[in-house]
Amino acid sequence: MEIVCVTGAGGYVASWVVKELLAKGYVVHGTVRDLDDEKKNGHLKKLEHAKERLHLFKADLLDYAGLCIAIDGCMGVIHVATPVPAGKVKDPQAEMLEPAITGTRNVMNACLKTKVNKVVVVSSLFAIVANPSWPKDQTIDETCWSDSEFCMKSEKWYCASKVISEREALEFGKKNNLNVVAVCPSVVFGPMLQSIACTTNIILLNLFKGMNSFNLIELDRAEEDVDIPIVDVRDCAKALLLAYEKPESEGRYLCSSHMLKTTTLIQLLKNLFPHYNYPTDLRSSILNEDLNYTNEKLMNLGWSHRTLEETLVDSVKTMREAGLLS
């Protein structure tokens, strides 16, 4: 059976990738920071087929030797692990840029050393859209790259870390004849497999509590009615598997299903869950940016996505089951 390594296996998106790989018959090597942390990783052991085909390895992104051990014998790697800020960071160089960039370098070098066939790197829509030089009337696609200098000057550290590490990964692949593909998801909502709320689902939790606080500095303009690009975590996992399995996949893929204003999202949530206390009186964004992008390249690879209503209903269901919502 083919072996695939998933970095940061206990995370929100990575857990769904592990679940889908196991369901399709793969053997999975998952890297985690702490093998004994049941709160963060215990849910992985409960997945169907985990007992027979899931093997967890202790390794973080800065542990090159540990990554080599985890990746050894694998045909492919899906690199999901990344530091995500909860608001403003004290030392962006140490907390965001270094772990993401050095970590991706370590993963790429480990893949080269262990003779991996294919690597799928999870980047971000924020590695695409933060480009003030992009023509306003031109649809954003995979040819658009965020301006890393602009991101750092604007203190968009997650954005900067993603665009720099994605560029390096794709260039490393070309230079070393390693098949590297990048998938760039937007804000990921949907059901959780673990009991700990992730950065993006905290957005929903905050809205239910009457706070328009995005917990992600790339979006966090608390009183403004900003555009929110959304993709379901299950559709994101599906995109990653398509990028891995399809021999024709190449380059980068924009992965986002829905785009709506915060006020529109709040109204949809009100219709579905009327008994919560939602934020009111949001003003129009001073930046007035309407993100106009296309996911045509990913759709041509065979991708499709769920309705936003299904995503939101399933998000709330699992948050309630985890005791995060009344």
PDB file of all heavy atoms in Angstrom, residues 150-180:
ATOM      1  N   PHE A 150       5.102  44.148   0.885  1.00  0.00           N
ATOM      2  CA  PHE A 150       3.865  44.828   1.274  1.00  0.00           C
ATOM      3  C   PHE A 150       3.245  44.140   2.496  1.00  0.00           C
ATOM      4  O   PHE A 150       2.781  44.804   3.432  1.00  0.00           O
ATOM      5  CB  PHE A 150       2.877  44.825   0.103  1.00  0.00           C
ATOM      6  CG  PHE A 150       1.466  45.187   0.474  1.00  0.00           C
ATOM      7  CD1 PHE A 150       1.110  46.516   0.691  1.00  0.00           C
ATOM      8  CD2 PHE A 150       0.499  44.204   0.603  1.00  0.00           C
ATOM      9  CE1 PHE A 150      -0.196  46.856   1.038  1.00  0.00           C
ATOM     10  CE2 PHE A 150      -0.802  44.532   0.951  1.00  0.00           C
ATOM     11  CZ  PHE A 150      -1.152  45.855   1.174  1.00  0.00           C
ATOM     12  N   CYS A 151       3.241  42.802   2.491  1.00  0.00           N
ATOM     13  CA  CYS A 151       2.665  42.051   3.607  1.00  0.00           C
ATOM     14  C   CYS A 151       3.403  42.328   4.911  1.00  0.00           C
ATOM     15  O   CYS A 151       2.787  42.543   5.957  1.00  0.00           O
ATOM     16  CB  CYS A 151       2.696  40.553   3.310  1.00  0.00           C
ATOM     17  SG  CYS A 151       1.603  40.038   1.973  1.00  0.00           S
ATOM     18  N   MET A 152       4.740  42.359   4.843  1.00  0.00           N
ATOM     19  CA  MET A 152       5.519  42.593   6.059  1.00  0.00           C
ATOM     20  C   MET A 152       5.359  44.027   6.558  1.00  0.00           C
ATOM     21  O   MET A 152       5.235  44.267   7.754  1.00  0.00           O
ATOM     22  CB  MET A 152       6.988  42.245   5.818  1.00  0.00           C
ATOM     23  CG  MET A 152       7.228  40.733   5.736  1.00  0.00           C
ATOM     24  SD  MET A 152       8.959  40.261   5.671  1.00  0.00           S
ATOM     25  CE  MET A 152       9.304  40.514   3.926  1.00  0.00           C
ATOM     26  N   LYS A 153       5.346  44.982   5.637  1.00  0.00           N
ATOM     27  CA  LYS A 153       5.146  46.375   6.043  1.00  0.00           C
ATOM     28  C   LYS A 153       3.764  46.578   6.652  1.00  0.00           C
ATOM     29  O   LYS A 153       3.575  47.425   7.534  1.00  0.00           O
ATOM     30  CB  LYS A 153       5.325  47.299   4.834  1.00  0.00           C
ATOM     31  CG  LYS A 153       6.774  47.475   4.400  1.00  0.00           C
ATOM     32  CD  LYS A 153       6.887  48.344   3.170  1.00  0.00           C
ATOM     33  CE  LYS A 153       8.339  48.471   2.704  1.00  0.00           C
ATOM     34  NZ  LYS A 153       8.456  49.245   1.456  1.00  0.00           N
ATOM     35  N   SER A 154       2.790  45.802   6.176  1.00  0.00           N
ATOM     36  CA  SER A 154       1.421  45.891   6.698  1.00  0.00           C
ATOM     37  C   SER A 154       1.206  44.992   7.915  1.00  0.00           C
ATOM     38  O   SER A 154       0.087  44.881   8.414  1.00  0.00           O
ATOM     39  CB  SER A 154       0.420  45.498   5.603  1.00  0.00           C
ATOM     40  OG  SER A 154       0.623  46.245   4.424  1.00  0.00           O
ATOM     41  N   GLU A 155       2.274  44.321   8.352  1.00  0.00           N
ATOM     42  CA  GLU A 155       2.237  43.388   9.480  1.00  0.00           C
ATOM     43  C   GLU A 155       1.281  42.227   9.229  1.00  0.00           C
ATOM     44  O   GLU A 155       0.647  41.702  10.152  1.00  0.00           O
ATOM     45  CB  GLU A 155       1.885  44.117  10.780  1.00  0.00           C
ATOM     46  CG  GLU A 155       2.927  45.144  11.184  1.00  0.00           C
ATOM     47  CD  GLU A 155       2.692  45.736  12.559  1.00  0.00           C
ATOM     48  OE1 GLU A 155       1.585  45.541  13.113  1.00  0.00           O
ATOM     49  OE2 GLU A 155       3.611  46.376  13.087  1.00  0.00           O
ATOM     50  N   LYS A 156       1.184  41.814   7.976  1.00  0.00           N
ATOM     51  CA  LYS A 156       0.412  40.627   7.615  1.00  0.00           C
ATOM     52  C   LYS A 156       1.378  39.439   7.596  1.00  0.00           C
ATOM     53  O   LYS A 156       1.795  38.960   6.537  1.00  0.00           O
ATOM     54  CB  LYS A 156      -0.270  40.817   6.261  1.00  0.00           C
ATOM     55  CG  LYS A 156      -1.261  41.978   6.218  1.00  0.00           C
ATOM     56  CD  LYS A 156      -1.812  42.158   4.812  1.00  0.00           C
ATOM     57  CE  LYS A 156      -2.747  43.360   4.707  1.00  0.00           C
ATOM     58  NZ  LYS A 156      -3.999  43.208   5.430  1.00  0.00           N
ATOM     59  N   TRP A 157       1.756  38.982   8.776  1.00  0.00           N
ATOM     60  CA  TRP A 157       2.850  38.014   8.900  1.00  0.00           C
ATOM     61  C   TRP A 157       2.471  36.632   8.371  1.00  0.00           C
ATOM     62  O   TRP A 157       3.299  35.929   7.804  1.00  0.00           O
ATOM     63  CB  TRP A 157       3.312  37.950  10.347  1.00  0.00           C
ATOM     64  CG  TRP A 157       3.767  39.281  10.831  1.00  0.00           C
ATOM     65  CD1 TRP A 157       3.141  40.083  11.743  1.00  0.00           C
ATOM     66  CD2 TRP A 157       4.922  40.015  10.390  1.00  0.00           C
ATOM     67  NE1 TRP A 157       3.835  41.258  11.906  1.00  0.00           N
ATOM     68  CE2 TRP A 157       4.930  41.249  11.098  1.00  0.00           C
ATOM     69  CE3 TRP A 157       5.950  39.752   9.484  1.00  0.00           C
ATOM     70  CZ2 TRP A 157       5.933  42.200  10.912  1.00  0.00           C
ATOM     71  CZ3 TRP A 157       6.936  40.699   9.299  1.00  0.00           C
ATOM     72  CH2 TRP A 157       6.929  41.902  10.010  1.00  0.00           C
ATOM     73  N   TYR A 158       1.230  36.224   8.579  1.00  0.00           N
ATOM     74  CA  TYR A 158       0.784  34.935   8.038  1.00  0.00           C
ATOM     75  C   TYR A 158       0.873  34.953   6.516  1.00  0.00           C
ATOM     76  O   TYR A 158       1.378  34.024   5.887  1.00  0.00           O
ATOM     77  CB  TYR A 158      -0.644  34.648   8.493  1.00  0.00           C
ATOM     78  CG  TYR A 158      -1.221  33.365   7.947  1.00  0.00           C
ATOM     79  CD1 TYR A 158      -0.824  32.133   8.459  1.00  0.00           C
ATOM     80  CD2 TYR A 158      -2.172  33.391   6.937  1.00  0.00           C
ATOM     81  CE1 TYR A 158      -1.359  30.955   7.963  1.00  0.00           C
ATOM     82  CE2 TYR A 158      -2.718  32.226   6.437  1.00  0.00           C
ATOM     83  CZ  TYR A 158      -2.307  31.009   6.953  1.00  0.00           C
ATOM     84  OH  TYR A 158      -2.841  29.850   6.450  1.00  0.00           O
ATOM     85  N   CYS A 159       0.393  36.026   5.937  1.00  0.00           N
ATOM     86  CA  CYS A 159       0.447  36.220   4.483  1.00  0.00           C
ATOM     87  C   CYS A 159       1.889  36.164   3.988  1.00  0.00           C
ATOM     88  O   CYS A 159       2.210  35.455   3.028  1.00  0.00           O
ATOM     89  CB  CYS A 159      -0.191  37.561   4.141  1.00  0.00           C
ATOM     90  SG  CYS A 159       0.020  38.079   2.434  1.00  0.00           S
ATOM     91  N   ALA A 160       2.779  36.908   4.651  1.00  0.00           N
ATOM     92  CA  ALA A 160       4.190  36.934   4.242  1.00  0.00           C
ATOM     93  C   ALA A 160       4.832  35.566   4.351  1.00  0.00           C
ATOM     94  O   ALA A 160       5.558  35.119   3.457  1.00  0.00           O
ATOM     95  CB  ALA A 160       4.959  37.942   5.098  1.00  0.00           C
ATOM     96  N   SER A 161       4.559  34.863   5.449  1.00  0.00           N
ATOM     97  CA  SER A 161       5.156  33.537   5.641  1.00  0.00           C
ATOM     98  C   SER A 161       4.685  32.563   4.574  1.00  0.00           C
ATOM     99  O   SER A 161       5.456  31.738   4.076  1.00  0.00           O
ATOM    100  CB  SER A 161       4.819  32.997   7.039  1.00  0.00           C
ATOM    101  OG  SER A 161       3.446  32.677   7.173  1.00  0.00           O
ATOM    102  N   LYS A 162       3.418  32.667   4.206  1.00  0.00           N
ATOM    103  CA  LYS A 162       2.866  31.745   3.208  1.00  0.00           C
ATOM    104  C   LYS A 162       3.416  32.013   1.803  1.00  0.00           C
ATOM    105  O   LYS A 162       3.772  31.089   1.075  1.00  0.00           O
ATOM    106  CB  LYS A 162       1.334  31.837   3.198  1.00  0.00           C
ATOM    107  CG  LYS A 162       0.664  31.053   4.307  1.00  0.00           C
ATOM    108  CD  LYS A 162       0.963  29.581   4.198  1.00  0.00           C
ATOM    109  CE  LYS A 162       0.182  28.734   5.151  1.00  0.00           C
ATOM    110  NZ  LYS A 162       0.513  27.298   5.056  1.00  0.00           N
ATOM    111  N   VAL A 163       3.470  33.288   1.411  1.00  0.00           N
ATOM    112  CA  VAL A 163       3.926  33.573   0.047  1.00  0.00           C
ATOM    113  C   VAL A 163       5.411  33.251  -0.103  1.00  0.00           C
ATOM    114  O   VAL A 163       5.841  32.684  -1.124  1.00  0.00           O
ATOM    115  CB  VAL A 163       3.607  35.032  -0.357  1.00  0.00           C
ATOM    116  CG1 VAL A 163       4.429  36.036   0.416  1.00  0.00           C
ATOM    117  CG2 VAL A 163       3.818  35.238  -1.856  1.00  0.00           C
ATOM    118  N   ILE A 164       6.215  33.544   0.916  1.00  0.00           N
ATOM    119  CA  ILE A 164       7.650  33.258   0.823  1.00  0.00           C
ATOM    120  C   ILE A 164       7.903  31.750   0.819  1.00  0.00           C
ATOM    121  O   ILE A 164       8.676  31.236  -0.004  1.00  0.00           O
ATOM    122  CB  ILE A 164       8.413  33.936   1.982  1.00  0.00           C
ATOM    123  CG1 ILE A 164       8.336  35.466   1.851  1.00  0.00           C
ATOM    124  CG2 ILE A 164       9.870  33.496   1.990  1.00  0.00           C
ATOM    125  CD1 ILE A 164       8.837  36.219   3.077  1.00  0.00           C
ATOM    126  N   SER A 165       7.247  31.021   1.710  1.00  0.00           N
ATOM    127  CA  SER A 165       7.489  29.576   1.789  1.00  0.00           C
ATOM    128  C   SER A 165       6.934  28.843   0.564  1.00  0.00           C
ATOM    129  O   SER A 165       7.546  27.893   0.069  1.00  0.00           O
ATOM    130  CB  SER A 165       6.907  28.989   3.074  1.00  0.00           C
ATOM    131  OG  SER A 165       5.537  29.271   3.205  1.00  0.00           O
ATOM    132  N   GLU A 166       5.789  29.313   0.027  1.00  0.00           N
ATOM    133  CA  GLU A 166       5.242  28.665  -1.178  1.00  0.00           C
ATOM    134  C   GLU A 166       6.166  28.876  -2.375  1.00  0.00           C
ATOM    135  O   GLU A 166       6.458  27.935  -3.135  1.00  0.00           O
ATOM    136  CB  GLU A 166       3.851  29.194  -1.502  1.00  0.00           C
ATOM    137  CG  GLU A 166       3.223  28.456  -2.685  1.00  0.00           C
ATOM    138  CD  GLU A 166       2.046  29.162  -3.315  1.00  0.00           C
ATOM    139  OE1 GLU A 166       1.468  30.074  -2.676  1.00  0.00           O
ATOM    140  OE2 GLU A 166       1.695  28.815  -4.464  1.00  0.00           O
ATOM    141  N   ARG A 167       6.618  30.105  -2.564  1.00  0.00           N
ATOM    142  CA  ARG A 167       7.545  30.393  -3.673  1.00  0.00           C
ATOM    143  C   ARG A 167       8.788  29.512  -3.580  1.00  0.00           C
ATOM    144  O   ARG A 167       9.226  28.924  -4.569  1.00  0.00           O
ATOM    145  CB  ARG A 167       7.953  31.861  -3.649  1.00  0.00           C
ATOM    146  CG  ARG A 167       7.025  32.808  -4.409  1.00  0.00           C
ATOM    147  CD  ARG A 167       7.709  34.161  -4.553  1.00  0.00           C
ATOM    148  NE  ARG A 167       6.883  35.148  -5.177  1.00  0.00           N
ATOM    149  CZ  ARG A 167       6.727  35.280  -6.500  1.00  0.00           C
ATOM    150  NH1 ARG A 167       7.330  34.455  -7.328  1.00  0.00           N
ATOM    151  NH2 ARG A 167       5.956  36.256  -6.983  1.00  0.00           N
ATOM    152  N   GLU A 168       9.353  29.432  -2.384  1.00  0.00           N
ATOM    153  CA  GLU A 168      10.565  28.634  -2.189  1.00  0.00           C
ATOM    154  C   GLU A 168      10.309  27.162  -2.498  1.00  0.00           C
ATOM    155  O   GLU A 168      11.143  26.487  -3.106  1.00  0.00           O
ATOM    156  CB  GLU A 168      11.089  28.793  -0.763  1.00  0.00           C
ATOM    157  CG  GLU A 168      11.816  30.091  -0.520  1.00  0.00           C
ATOM    158  CD  GLU A 168      12.760  30.018   0.680  1.00  0.00           C
ATOM    159  OE1 GLU A 168      12.988  28.907   1.199  1.00  0.00           O
ATOM    160  OE2 GLU A 168      13.273  31.073   1.080  1.00  0.00           O
ATOM    161  N   ALA A 169       9.167  26.652  -2.066  1.00  0.00           N
ATOM    162  CA  ALA A 169       8.853  25.246  -2.288  1.00  0.00           C
ATOM    163  C   ALA A 169       8.738  24.928  -3.781  1.00  0.00           C
ATOM    164  O   ALA A 169       9.284  23.922  -4.263  1.00  0.00           O
ATOM    165  CB  ALA A 169       7.558  24.880  -1.570  1.00  0.00           C
ATOM    166  N   LEU A 170       8.015  25.790  -4.518  1.00  0.00           N
ATOM    167  CA  LEU A 170       7.849  25.551  -5.956  1.00  0.00           C
ATOM    168  C   LEU A 170       9.184  25.684  -6.693  1.00  0.00           C
ATOM    169  O   LEU A 170       9.491  24.887  -7.592  1.00  0.00           O
ATOM    170  CB  LEU A 170       6.816  26.520  -6.531  1.00  0.00           C
ATOM    171  CG  LEU A 170       5.368  26.301  -6.063  1.00  0.00           C
ATOM    172  CD1 LEU A 170       4.464  27.430  -6.547  1.00  0.00           C
ATOM    173  CD2 LEU A 170       4.828  24.951  -6.553  1.00  0.00           C
ATOM    174  N   GLU A 171       9.991  26.659  -6.293  1.00  0.00           N
ATOM    175  CA  GLU A 171      11.304  26.831  -6.922  1.00  0.00           C
ATOM    176  C   GLU A 171      12.238  25.672  -6.571  1.00  0.00           C
ATOM    177  O   GLU A 171      13.021  25.217  -7.417  1.00  0.00           O
ATOM    178  CB  GLU A 171      11.912  28.169  -6.480  1.00  0.00           C
ATOM    179  CG  GLU A 171      11.212  29.374  -7.109  1.00  0.00           C
ATOM    180  CD  GLU A 171      11.605  30.694  -6.457  1.00  0.00           C
ATOM    181  OE1 GLU A 171      12.509  30.682  -5.578  1.00  0.00           O
ATOM    182  OE2 GLU A 171      11.012  31.736  -6.813  1.00  0.00           O
ATOM    183  N   PHE A 172      12.159  25.183  -5.348  1.00  0.00           N
ATOM    184  CA  PHE A 172      12.960  24.031  -4.926  1.00  0.00           C
ATOM    185  C   PHE A 172      12.617  22.811  -5.784  1.00  0.00           C
ATOM    186  O   PHE A 172      13.498  22.065  -6.213  1.00  0.00           O
ATOM    187  CB  PHE A 172      12.691  23.724  -3.446  1.00  0.00           C
ATOM    188  CG  PHE A 172      13.520  22.603  -2.882  1.00  0.00           C
ATOM    189  CD1 PHE A 172      14.702  22.882  -2.201  1.00  0.00           C
ATOM    190  CD2 PHE A 172      13.128  21.278  -3.010  1.00  0.00           C
ATOM    191  CE1 PHE A 172      15.473  21.854  -1.667  1.00  0.00           C
ATOM    192  CE2 PHE A 172      13.887  20.246  -2.481  1.00  0.00           C
ATOM    193  CZ  PHE A 172      15.066  20.539  -1.806  1.00  0.00           C
ATOM    194  N   GLY A 173      11.305  22.632  -6.035  1.00  0.00           N
ATOM    195  CA  GLY A 173      10.879  21.507  -6.858  1.00  0.00           C
ATOM    196  C   GLY A 173      11.454  21.564  -8.259  1.00  0.00           C
ATOM    197  O   GLY A 173      11.961  20.571  -8.782  1.00  0.00           O
ATOM    198  N   LYS A 174      11.393  22.749  -8.870  1.00  0.00           N
ATOM    199  CA  LYS A 174      11.927  22.905 -10.232  1.00  0.00           C
ATOM    200  C   LYS A 174      13.432  22.676 -10.270  1.00  0.00           C
ATOM    201  O   LYS A 174      13.961  22.010 -11.166  1.00  0.00           O
ATOM    202  CB  LYS A 174      11.598  24.300 -10.762  1.00  0.00           C
ATOM    203  CG  LYS A 174      10.116  24.520 -11.046  1.00  0.00           C
ATOM    204  CD  LYS A 174       9.850  25.968 -11.464  1.00  0.00           C
ATOM    205  CE  LYS A 174       8.353  26.209 -11.674  1.00  0.00           C
ATOM    206  NZ  LYS A 174       8.071  27.633 -11.981  1.00  0.00           N
ATOM    207  N   LYS A 175      14.126  23.208  -9.284  1.00  0.00           N
ATOM    208  CA  LYS A 175      15.589  23.116  -9.244  1.00  0.00           C
ATOM    209  C   LYS A 175      16.068  21.681  -9.025  1.00  0.00           C
ATOM    210  O   LYS A 175      17.105  21.270  -9.556  1.00  0.00           O
ATOM    211  CB  LYS A 175      16.121  24.018  -8.121  1.00  0.00           C
ATOM    212  CG  LYS A 175      17.636  24.041  -8.006  1.00  0.00           C
ATOM    213  CD  LYS A 175      18.076  24.982  -6.886  1.00  0.00           C
ATOM    214  CE  LYS A 175      19.586  24.945  -6.700  1.00  0.00           C
ATOM    215  NZ  LYS A 175      20.019  25.833  -5.584  1.00  0.00           N
ATOM    216  N   ASN A 176      15.298  20.905  -8.246  1.00  0.00           N
ATOM    217  CA  ASN A 176      15.745  19.575  -7.843  1.00  0.00           C
ATOM    218  C   ASN A 176      14.939  18.445  -8.482  1.00  0.00           C
ATOM    219  O   ASN A 176      15.038  17.294  -8.060  1.00  0.00           O
ATOM    220  CB  ASN A 176      15.678  19.450  -6.321  1.00  0.00           C
ATOM    221  CG  ASN A 176      16.655  20.371  -5.624  1.00  0.00           C
ATOM    222  OD1 ASN A 176      17.849  20.097  -5.554  1.00  0.00           O
ATOM    223  ND2 ASN A 176      16.152  21.487  -5.102  1.00  0.00           N
ATOM    224  N   ASN A 177      14.147  18.778  -9.506  1.00  0.00           N
ATOM    225  CA  ASN A 177      13.349  17.779 -10.208  1.00  0.00           C
ATOM    226  C   ASN A 177      12.428  17.013  -9.256  1.00  0.00           C
ATOM    227  O   ASN A 177      12.276  15.799  -9.348  1.00  0.00           O
ATOM    228  CB  ASN A 177      14.262  16.803 -10.966  1.00  0.00           C
ATOM    229  CG  ASN A 177      13.507  16.058 -12.061  1.00  0.00           C
ATOM    230  OD1 ASN A 177      12.528  16.569 -12.617  1.00  0.00           O
ATOM    231  ND2 ASN A 177      13.933  14.840 -12.359  1.00  0.00           N
ATOM    232  N   LEU A 178      11.846  17.746  -8.322  1.00  0.00           N
ATOM    233  CA  LEU A 178      10.883  17.187  -7.371  1.00  0.00           C
ATOM    234  C   LEU A 178       9.513  17.749  -7.715  1.00  0.00           C
ATOM    235  O   LEU A 178       9.349  18.957  -7.886  1.00  0.00           O
ATOM    236  CB  LEU A 178      11.282  17.576  -5.941  1.00  0.00           C
ATOM    237  CG  LEU A 178      10.343  17.169  -4.808  1.00  0.00           C
ATOM    238  CD1 LEU A 178      10.260  15.645  -4.685  1.00  0.00           C
ATOM    239  CD2 LEU A 178      10.819  17.778  -3.483  1.00  0.00           C
ATOM    240  N   ASN A 179       8.531  16.880  -7.836  1.00  0.00           N
ATOM    241  CA  ASN A 179       7.182  17.279  -8.228  1.00  0.00           C
ATOM    242  C   ASN A 179       6.485  17.949  -7.038  1.00  0.00           C
ATOM    243  O   ASN A 179       6.057  17.275  -6.099  1.00  0.00           O
ATOM    244  CB  ASN A 179       6.393  16.056  -8.697  1.00  0.00           C
ATOM    245  CG  ASN A 179       5.064  16.435  -9.343  1.00  0.00           C
ATOM    246  OD1 ASN A 179       4.685  17.602  -9.385  1.00  0.00           O
ATOM    247  ND2 ASN A 179       4.355  15.447  -9.848  1.00  0.00           N
ATOM    248  N   VAL A 180       6.399  19.273  -7.080  1.00  0.00           N
ATOM    249  CA  VAL A 180       5.786  20.044  -5.993  1.00  0.00           C
ATOM    250  C   VAL A 180       4.574  20.808  -6.530  1.00  0.00           C
ATOM    251  O   VAL A 180       4.668  21.501  -7.540  1.00  0.00           O
ATOM    252  CB  VAL A 180       6.787  21.037  -5.369  1.00  0.00           C
ATOM    253  CG1 VAL A 180       6.114  21.831  -4.243  1.00  0.00           C
ATOM    254  CG2 VAL A 180       8.025  20.313  -4.843  1.00  0.00           C
TER     255      VAL A 180
END
